[in-house]
Amino acid sequence: MTSVFDLLKKHLAQHIRFDDVQFEVFCKRFKVKQTSRNEILLFGSEICPYMYFVNRGCLRIYMLDEAGRESTRFFVFEGKFGTAFPSFILQEPSMAYIQSLEPSELLYINYPDLQELINKFPNFEKAYLINLEMEYISSIKRIESLISMDANSRYQLLLKDSPALIKRLPSKIIADYLGISQETLSRLKSKK
Amino acid sequence: MTSVFDLLKKHLAQHIRFDDVQFEVFCKRFKVKQTSRNEILLFGSEICPYMYFVNRGCLRIYMLDEAGRESTRFFVFEGKFGTAFPSFILQEPSMAYIQSLEPSELLYINYPDLQELINKFPNFEKAYLINLEMEYISSIKRIESLISMDANSRYQLLLKDSPALIKRLPSKIIADYLGISQETLSRLKSKK
């Protein structure tokens, strides 16, 4: 029998051991939400209440300046946790927005409940820690690509690491993520 | 009586409780190293063996491309942990170099010893986790400044968050960190 928690179970099982009774306790802290395309889940300057786990679809964490220009910080795809992390952890107003780019199915947990799972269950804490290490590594790689690569190298890296992403997301969003114009992106795509 | 481990004790005590006997166990895993100005501690393509804690001085984590151009990823100042994190955690060849920008006093711990402290001592694990959350938040803020700010805003942010840094480090290094030329940096400095 399939359950809305299957993908979460698979994700946690990569990192830790747990039994069904324990997993039941974990699941009780998560709620389920269906979102529509381009739905905004968090507006800038709000305090981010939730950590999300993507069952289906895709989240985008982005910033919006006063001139209405968007800058994409990260994407979060199926089987991954994600949120406006600084706001969620520090419980202070967010610099970033969260949007579901596609119709999505999300699990979400609030800050006190996540802290309780971390503090009560050493194996859950371990899974959270390993997940954090991997997300931190991703963010370092994003910094590296931003400081040391030109548009073409950034595009080639994305093509190598996340080819599905390029097919799946609108060109406007990918160009913004790479920090280049849509025209430059089209040129790079056609050169391939 | 002062000890080379005083600053580490102060850092850990921000996050967790521990007694002197336990702290003795932690300290036994760390070694001390004095470095000279501009000493390279890790070359790109080496596997990073150590996590560092800066007692005095400053580390720079940077990348070096084939044309010899440097790009600065992070600085690590007194009272902070730092390393070429992806290489250290994944135990794979590093994309980055580590350099002590100033004559420095460092504590360092190798990967197996750090894992042992994390696995044996729940309070040490908690301190590691909180430290990781804060470092991840710093890296997200660095991404935000890279994707959404112009040179002037990046400089103003650095001036606000880390005024000491601007006085302390060579202009060449700060310009590289901000992703701008030394000429642009001089112009921004004189405008203030």
Side-chain angles (χ1 to χ4, degrees):
Chain A
M1 209 179 74
T2 65
S3 139
V4 76
F5 296 110
D6 285 349
L7 199 58
L8 178 64
K9 191 172 193 172
K10 202 171 144 193
H11 178 81
L12 292 175
Q14 288 174 359
H15 304 311
I16 56 165
R17 289 186 194 172
F18 50 86
D19 58 35
D20 285 347
V21 177
Q22 209 178 37
F23 188 62
E24 275 288 307
V25 180
F26 298 165
C27 292
K28 282 211 176 93
R29 300 300 184 174
F30 286 86
K31 294 195 172 76
V32 188
K33 184 182 175 76
Q34 311 289 339
T35 63
S36 52
R37 182 182 307 278
N38 295 339
E39 184 174 333
I40 306 288
L41 300 170
L42 179 82
F43 287 87
S45 84
E46 290 177 351
I47 294 175
C48 181
Y50 304 122
M51 170 74 81
Y52 295 95
F53 180 81
V54 179
N55 261 349
R56 184 171 49 76
C58 168
L59 298 181
R60 179 169 76 116
I61 322 293
Y62 69 100
M63 302 171 70
L64 182 66
D65 69 14
E66 286 164 11
R69 200 178 59 104
E70 296 180 355
S71 316
T72 297
R73 192 201 276 169
F74 290 124
F75 301 111
V76 188
F77 289 101
E78 288 90 357
K80 296 273 186 189
F81 279 100
T83 185
F85 193 80
S87 171
F88 178 74
I89 290 297
L90 304 174
Q91 288 289 289
E92 64 177 36
S94 179
M95 299 285 288
Y97 290 62
I98 306 179
Q99 175 190 42
S100 70
L101 276 181
E102 303 171 349
S104 303
E105 182 177 88
L106 309 171
L107 307 179
Y108 62 101
I109 181 168
N110 68 28
Y111 183 78
D113 283 352
L114 182 69
Q115 292 307 314
E116 197 188 326
L117 289 184
I118 289 170
N119 292 330
K120 264 198 188 161
F121 299 99
N123 56 349
F124 191 91
E125 182 179 32
K126 176 64 77 184
Y128 177 76
L129 193 156
I130 296 172
N131 197 70
L132 202 59
E133 286 178 337
M134 294 307 123
E135 294 304 318
Y136 181 37
I137 288 172
S138 294
S139 78
I140 290 173
K141 289 184 186 292
R142 178 116 168 87
I143 292 173
E144 285 175 353
S145 77
L146 288 166
I147 62 176
S148 71
M149 291 182 184
D150 60 16
N152 184 38
S153 310
R154 282 212 282 276
Y155 176 72
Q156 295 303 332
L157 182 69
L158 194 65
L159 202 60
K160 182 172 144 264
D161 286 355
S162 318
L165 189 150
I166 292 178
K167 284 194 190 129
R168 183 168 164 176
L169 299 181
S171 288
K172 182 183 171 305
I173 302 281
I174 294 172
D176 174 49
Y177 178 74
L178 293 170
I180 59 179
S181 68
Q182 280 185 262
E183 292 68 37
T184 307
L185 179 61
S186 317
R187 214 178 51 241
L188 292 173
K189 273 184 168 175
S190 63
K191 260 197 355 197
K192 184 186 55 155
Chain B
M1 208 179 75
T2 66
S3 139
V4 76
F5 296 110
D6 286 348
L7 198 59
L8 178 64
K9 191 172 192 172
K10 202 171 144 192
H11 178 81
L12 292 175
Q14 288 174 357
H15 304 311
I16 56 165
R17 289 184 194 175
F18 50 87
D19 58 35
D20 285 346
V21 177
Q22 210 179 35
F23 187 64
E24 275 288 305
V25 180
F26 298 165
C27 291
K28 282 211 175 95
R29 300 301 184 174
F30 287 85
K31 294 196 172 75
V32 188
K33 185 181 174 75
Q34 312 289 339
T35 63
S36 51
R37 182 181 306 279
N38 295 337
E39 184 173 332
I40 305 288
L41 301 171
L42 179 82
F43 286 88
S45 84
E46 289 178 350
I47 294 175
C48 182
Y50 303 123
M51 171 74 81
Y52 295 94
F53 179 81
V54 179
N55 260 348
R56 184 172 48 77
C58 168
L59 298 181
R60 179 168 76 114
I61 322 292
Y62 69 99
M63 304 171 69
L64 182 65
D65 69 13
E66 287 166 8
R69 200 178 60 104
E70 297 179 356
S71 316
T72 297
R73 191 203 275 169
F74 291 125
F75 300 111
V76 188
F77 289 102
E78 288 90 356
K80 296 275 185 187
F81 279 100
T83 185
F85 193 81
S87 171
F88 178 74
I89 290 296
L90 304 173
Q91 288 288 290
E92 64 178 36
S94 179
M95 300 285 287
Y97 290 62
I98 305 179
Q99 176 191 41
S100 70
L101 277 181
E102 303 171 349
S104 303
E105 181 177 87
L106 309 170
L107 306 180
Y108 62 101
I109 181 169
N110 68 29
Y111 183 78
D113 283 352
L114 182 69
Q115 293 306 315
E116 197 188 323
L117 289 184
I118 289 170
N119 292 331
K120 265 198 187 161
F121 300 98
N123 56 351
F124 191 91
E125 182 180 33
K126 175 66 76 186
Y128 177 76
L129 193 156
I130 295 172
N131 197 69
L132 202 59
E133 286 178 337
M134 294 307 122
E135 294 304 317
Y136 181 37
I137 287 172
S138 294
S139 78
I140 290 173
K141 290 184 185 291
R142 178 116 168 88
I143 292 173
E144 286 176 353
S145 77
L146 288 167
I147 63 177
S148 71
M149 291 182 185
D150 60 15
N152 184 38
S153 310
R154 281 212 282 278
Y155 176 71
Q156 295 303 333
L157 181 70
L158 194 65
L159 202 61
K160 182 172 142 267
D161 286 356
S162 318
L165 189 149
I166 292 178
K167 285 197 189 126
R168 183 168 164 176
L169 299 181
S171 289
K172 182 184 171 302
I173 301 281
I174 293 172
D176 174 50
Y177 178 74
L178 292 170
I180 59 180
S181 69
Q182 279 185 262
E183 292 69 36
T184 306
L185 179 63
S186 315
R187 212 178 54 241
L188 292 172
K189 272 185 169 176
S190 62
K191 259 197 353 198
K192 184 186 54 154

